Amino acid sequence: MCELYENNPDNELTVSLDLLENDSTVKIVRSQVTIDNGSLSTSDISPPSVHFKVSFKHLSLASRWFKIMLSRGWEEAKTVYKDGYCHVTLDYGFDPGAFKLLLDIIHEKTSKVSRSFDLEMLAKVSVLVDDFECYEEVDVFVDIWLDSLPISPLTKYSRDLVLWIFVSFVFRRSELFEFTTRTAILHSTEPIQTFGLPSLAKIDEKRQELLNQLTGTLHDVFDKLRRSQALCGFECDSMLLGAIIKQLYPHYLIWPKPSEPFIGFNFAKSAKTVRSLRSPAWCDMLMRTTATKGSEDEEMHFGTKKKKEKHRSP
């Protein structure tokens, strides 16, 4: 299959996109990074393609990536073929609909640019904008697109949340980016998708840092209670140790000790579990009494009370 789109009467360049094999799963590709729920299928047969006749000048002015590539980069961009055009092939799997929309903006055909579409298409456009570095060209449309797209409650880590993180990052919407990354950090049970961008890698680093602090503090307490030297007494330490094991074992927070990248662990849920830990009532009473025994005449001794002996001078 081969489709041809013409974007400008003064076309000088043909850009070809090799398409991914069609299936029911929407695929968003940033260079060689695939974000989807499945996997790319491979074939020895050449994939179908879409061709765009575009303006060399418009692309160079709008996109830093195209400017470098066309002026001093690829050899194929310097070769003029028999049809009078230079031919450039992009085999990154970009979505042709999103690419056409971007080309319409670059070639000032704004009447053809849709004012509303779904999150999937917005994410595909943001992939192109980030790769081709043409942020200013599309900025005037971003608020229109975002206003037309209701943001459903994002209270858990999901594919939609990942797309919102990338969209807000590319289009520099700080409030949305802060909200979506916070949700991902607190609720993700797996490494957070980074799209191959070092800046986004810090999001999962923060998630792992919080889980390291939580599990580290928890196991410090656990190890102290296991040692032979008593914290508040053999009976009290034993009861507290048993209570911790009993309450945390079902949540896999004891054995084995959770470790990076903390697959299966949700920080918000784990923190809630730790905050809800119950201490045996007997230990609570013993610890409270022991803490104030210096100012009282009575002390608790294994559940019984006895009067302190008063020492008299001889």
Side-chain angles (χ1 to χ4, degrees), residues 39-292:
S39 59
L40 292 178
S41 59
T42 59
S43 174
D44 294 331
I45 302 174
S46 297
S49 60
V50 179
H51 302 293
F52 298 87
K53 288 186 176 181
V54 297
S55 165
F56 189 108
K57 179 180 179 181
H58 281 74
L59 287 182
S60 297
L61 289 175
S63 165
R64 179 175 175 271
W65 188 90
F66 272 114
K67 181 179 180 179
I68 294 174
M69 185 270 289
L70 296 174
S71 62
R72 46 193 166 92
W74 297 356
E75 186 62 34
E76 61 181 306
K78 302 176 183 178
T79 305
V80 179
Y81 291 83
K82 293 180 180 179
D83 59 2
Y85 296 98
C86 296
H87 292 188
V88 173
T89 300
L90 304 178
D91 57 358
Y92 299 149
F94 294 126
D95 181 83
F99 192 64
K100 181 178 183 302
L101 183 146
L102 182 61
L103 290 177
D104 283 337
I105 294 175
I106 290 175
H107 289 82
E108 301 175 2
K109 294 188 175 183
T110 56
S111 62
K112 293 184 177 182
V113 178
S114 175
R115 266 55 176 178
S116 64
F117 37 71
D118 60 19
L119 177 59
E120 294 283 339
M121 179 57 74
L122 185 59
K124 292 173 183 177
V125 172
S126 65
V127 168
L128 292 169
V129 169
D130 191 58
D131 263 25
F132 297 142
E133 301 178 57
C134 49
Y135 308 100
E136 292 184 4
E137 294 297 315
V138 302
D139 191 63
V140 67
F141 291 97
V142 175
D143 285 332
I144 298 174
W145 293 335
L146 291 176
D147 289 343
S148 68
L149 186 60
I151 303 177
S152 56
L154 300 171
T155 58
K156 61 180 181 180
Y157 186 72
S158 64
R159 184 170 183 270
D160 279 359
L161 183 67
V162 171
L163 298 184
W164 275 118
I165 289 174
F166 188 65
V167 166
S168 60
F169 175 77
V170 170
F171 294 134
R172 298 173 173 83
R173 294 315 188 255
S174 57
E175 289 186 9
L176 180 58
F177 181 72
E178 182 179 346
F179 173 74
T180 53
T181 53
R182 176 180 172 81
T183 302
I185 289 169
L186 294 179
H187 299 284
S188 175
T189 57
E190 61 189 43
I192 299 169
Q193 176 66 260
T194 65
F195 305 90
L197 298 173
S199 298
L200 295 186
K202 296 179 181 179
I203 302 174
D204 196 63
E205 288 176 8
K206 184 62 178 178
R207 166 185 166 269
Q208 294 192 39
E209 177 188 338
L210 290 174
L211 283 167
N212 261 321
Q213 290 176 355
L214 177 68
T215 57
T217 300
L218 194 61
H219 276 260
D220 282 346
V221 174
F222 182 67
D223 290 340
K224 288 177 181 178
L225 290 172
R226 288 193 304 168
R227 293 171 186 163
S228 57
Q229 184 176 357
L231 294 180
C232 73
F234 175 78
E235 288 79 3
C236 180
D237 285 1
S238 298
M239 291 185 69
L240 286 174
L241 180 61
I244 290 176
I245 295 175
K246 183 177 180 64
Q247 294 174 83
L248 295 184
Y249 185 78
H251 301 282
Y252 306 100
L253 290 169
I254 295 294
W255 295 301
K257 180 182 178 181
S259 59
E260 298 179 2
F262 296 103
I263 295 176
F265 291 93
N266 172 320
F267 177 78
K269 184 177 179 180
S270 298
K272 182 179 179 181
T273 298
V274 173
R275 285 196 299 267
S276 65
L277 286 177
R278 295 168 53 199
S279 176
W282 187 84
C283 285
D284 279 348
M285 183 171 60
L286 177 59
M287 293 178 70
R288 286 196 301 270
T289 305
T290 303
T292 58

